[in-house]
Amino acid sequence: MSEQISAELQAKIEHVAGLLKQAEADYANGIVFANSLGAEDVVLTDLISRYAPGIRMFVLDTGRLPEETLKLLAQVRSHYGNLKLDVYYPEAADVEAYVAENGINAFYESQALRKGCCFVRKIKPLKRALSGQQAWITGLRREQSVTRDEIAFSEWDEGNGLQKLNPLADWSEKEVWAYIRANEVPYNELHDRHYPSIGCAPCTRAISMGEDVRSGRWWWENPENRECGLHPATPLKFK
């Protein structure tokens, strides 16, 4: 290990380990982890590998991911041989229809067109990935943005009709990186180039010192509405 884990972070790690073990026991084959390959999600990948390897995971490849993200996907598959990881892609016909009607980069023109692109490339594949599941796991943290500052460890996802678990809800960005460094977890090299939040290449940019960690995503839009639809801002909280 290259960095010490504080007592406070160790307590949080043990809490997440307990949540993951319980989720694996409660839902068996009815739970999946939506792995975006961001910093939070590689932490969860490592924790699932250690404590709940029976939990399956998936990645949404939108067709416009940065090469660095695809490189990390290959690394994760190689590094965590005990995990099951599926990749879901958008339907070719949906992408072709969107581009034919709106243009290849129409998402810059309006929020409606941007959300339409997200719907085709992310929301519809997510629906397929979650089909038949009882619960899903995400790497959301309260600290990430104003749209996520009230997320709970477990909440009812009304839009998808299943339970949503956010084991890292109370983690800070500093704690995420302390875990990555201490455990030498593979991560996206774009993070070292000031990309704290990484999505599709055309919709992601580096940020400046002091900017919000999500400010590099859809930077041309109002931050209070800056979500793709995967994670509605007002879920129903259970605990």
Side-chain angles (χ1 to χ4, degrees), residues 197-224:
S197 179
I198 304 166
C200 292
C203 298
T204 305
R205 69 172 182 176
I207 68 170
S208 301
M209 186 71 68
E211 285 190 284
D212 180 85
V213 295
R214 293 274 294 175
S215 61
R217 302 288 296 278
W218 310 298
W219 59 91
W220 60 92
E221 294 182 3
N222 185 325
E224 294 182 359

Side-chain angles (χ1 to χ4, degrees), residues 5 9-21 24 33 35 39-55 57 79-80 82-83 137 167-168 171 175-176 179-180 183 185-186:
I5 294 290
L9 178 54
Q10 184 59 41
K12 289 185 177 183
I13 291 169
E14 292 171 5
H15 178 242
V16 174
L19 290 177
L20 292 173
K21 289 177 181 177
E24 185 179 31
F33 166 40
N35 193 339
E40 293 81 8
D41 287 0
V42 297
V43 167
L44 279 174
T45 299
D46 194 78
L47 289 167
I48 287 171
S49 176
R50 292 170 185 267
Y51 300 108
I55 294 176
M57 60 184 67
H79 190 80
Y80 298 102
N82 66 327
L83 298 179
I137 298 170
L168 303 184
W171 284 42
E175 289 169 333
V176 167
Y179 184 94
I180 289 173
N183 295 282
V185 176

Side-chain angles (χ1 to χ4, degrees), residues 9 22 30 37 44 59-60 125 127 147 170 180-181 189-190 193 206 211 213 231:
L9 178 54
Q22 190 62 52
L37 299 172
L44 279 174
V59 169
L60 301 179
K127 294 291 187 183
T147 61
D170 65 342
I180 289 173
R181 295 188 179 105
E189 61 192 60
L190 285 175
R193 301 181 214 160
E211 285 190 284
V213 295
H231 305 294

Side-chain angles (χ1 to χ4, degrees), residues 133-177:
Q133 300 301 312
Q134 296 173 279
W136 65 310
I137 298 170
T138 84
L140 297 185
R141 295 186 298 110
R142 296 170 190 148
E143 192 184 75
Q144 286 172 325
S145 72
V146 295
T147 61
R148 300 178 178 181
D149 60 3
E150 294 185 359
I151 61 170
F153 290 112
S154 181
E155 51 199 19
W156 178 249
D157 181 348
E158 185 69 33
N160 290 302
L162 70 175
Q163 199 68 13
K164 181 177 178 180
L165 309 180
N166 310 301
L168 303 184
D170 65 342
W171 284 42
S172 68
E173 183 181 8
K174 182 178 179 181
E175 289 169 333
V176 167
W177 282 102

